[in-house]
Amino acid sequence: MQGYGTPPWQVVLDFWFADGLAHHWPADAVAQRWFNGGAAFDDDIEREFGALVDAALMQELVEWEERPEGRLALVLVLDQFTRNIHRGSAQAFAGDHRALTLVMEGLARGMDLQLPPLGRAFFYMPLMHAEDADIQAISVARFAALEPEVPAAVAEHYAVFSHFARDHAEVIAKFGRFPHRNEVFGRETSAAEQAYLETANRYGQ
């Protein structure tokens, strides 16, 4: 239950990060859910946040946009929760355009710099997910800038974020899109893309 005066978006941040925002990285069990949560985690998000995802996609949570923490929570709902709830379908990417718009506006207003490093990492995720080379360049730069801002004890995690930012940028530079999305979008896959798909890790795309 939310406490008196608790903003409505706090439940999203608490669910996703636990105490990670305060300590730059959460307990291993929390971090593992982000990338290896599986069907049970997807089901948890759908049960707890399915209605919120629908509201975000309908742009009914605009009041969340005015504070950095609220905008971060909205980005999580549009960029991460959609992927969990609609995994394996085109609907998984339904929030991408709106999430990217929120991020680009937030960057222009310096809102990202008001967030702790871990919050910034997930605020930047829509940049990494964009099928656009110019935005990918921004992604690489923003993730790289995070690395020197965190304690040495967690620096390796932020180096991984940077690694995947560069990896995503390389895919877009080569193909102009993420070949992993071709099937759900009904796009024809080229021979070069097929060769890539046979060996590539589909993490995060």
Side-chain angles (χ1 to χ4, degrees), residues 11 13 17 24 35 65 83 89 99 102 112 141 184:
V11 63
L13 300 182
F17 295 112
H24 299 298
F35 310 118
E65 301 173 16
R83 282 166 164 75
S89 74
L102 291 169
D112 59 314
V184 297

Side-chain angles (χ1 to χ4, degrees), residues 13-194:
L13 300 182
D14 289 345
F15 174 84
W16 194 254
F17 295 112
D19 63 352
L21 292 177
H23 300 288
H24 299 298
W25 198 257
D28 288 344
V30 175
Q32 283 296 317
R33 297 185 313 174
W34 296 337
F35 310 118
N36 300 292
F41 186 51
D42 293 349
D43 290 344
D44 287 345
I45 291 177
E46 182 170 16
R47 182 177 59 255
E48 296 187 37
F49 299 105
L52 197 64
V53 169
D54 291 340
L57 291 172
M58 295 293 292
Q59 298 189 33
E60 296 176 357
L61 303 176
V62 293
E63 68 275 11
W64 291 27
E65 301 173 16
E66 294 309 309
R67 292 183 57 84
E69 298 86 355
R71 187 170 289 234
L72 169 61
L74 188 52
V75 167
L76 287 171
V77 170
L78 290 165
D79 181 69
Q80 297 292 326
F81 288 5
T82 49
R83 282 166 164 75
N84 289 99
I85 291 175
H86 301 292
R87 191 180 302 277
S89 74
Q91 189 68 6
F93 309 99
D96 282 21
H97 176 75
R98 182 65 183 151
L100 181 60
T101 298
L102 291 169
V103 170
M104 295 300 288
E105 290 176 355
L107 297 182
R109 295 169 60 179
M111 295 178 81
D112 59 314
L113 302 180
Q114 299 175 56
L115 295 167
L118 184 58
R120 286 166 61 189
F122 279 93
F123 193 77
Y124 298 151
M125 283 292 181
L127 304 173
M128 192 191 297
H129 292 156
E131 292 186 317
D132 181 286
D134 292 336
I135 293 173
Q136 287 292 330
I138 298 171
S139 169
V140 170
R142 293 285 175 162
F143 279 102
L146 287 177
E147 292 189 61
E149 296 190 19
V150 298
V154 298
E156 65 180 307
H157 301 300
Y158 291 81
V160 171
F161 280 132
S162 286
H163 166 79
F164 281 112
R166 294 190 300 271
D167 178 70
H168 282 62
E170 289 171 3
V171 173
I172 294 302
K174 185 173 183 178
F175 300 112
R177 60 188 186 177
F178 293 119
H180 290 116
R181 300 181 187 178
N182 289 351
E183 183 175 356
V184 297
F185 286 148
R187 303 189 303 210
E188 185 175 352
T189 298
S190 69
E193 287 176 328
Q194 185 59 43

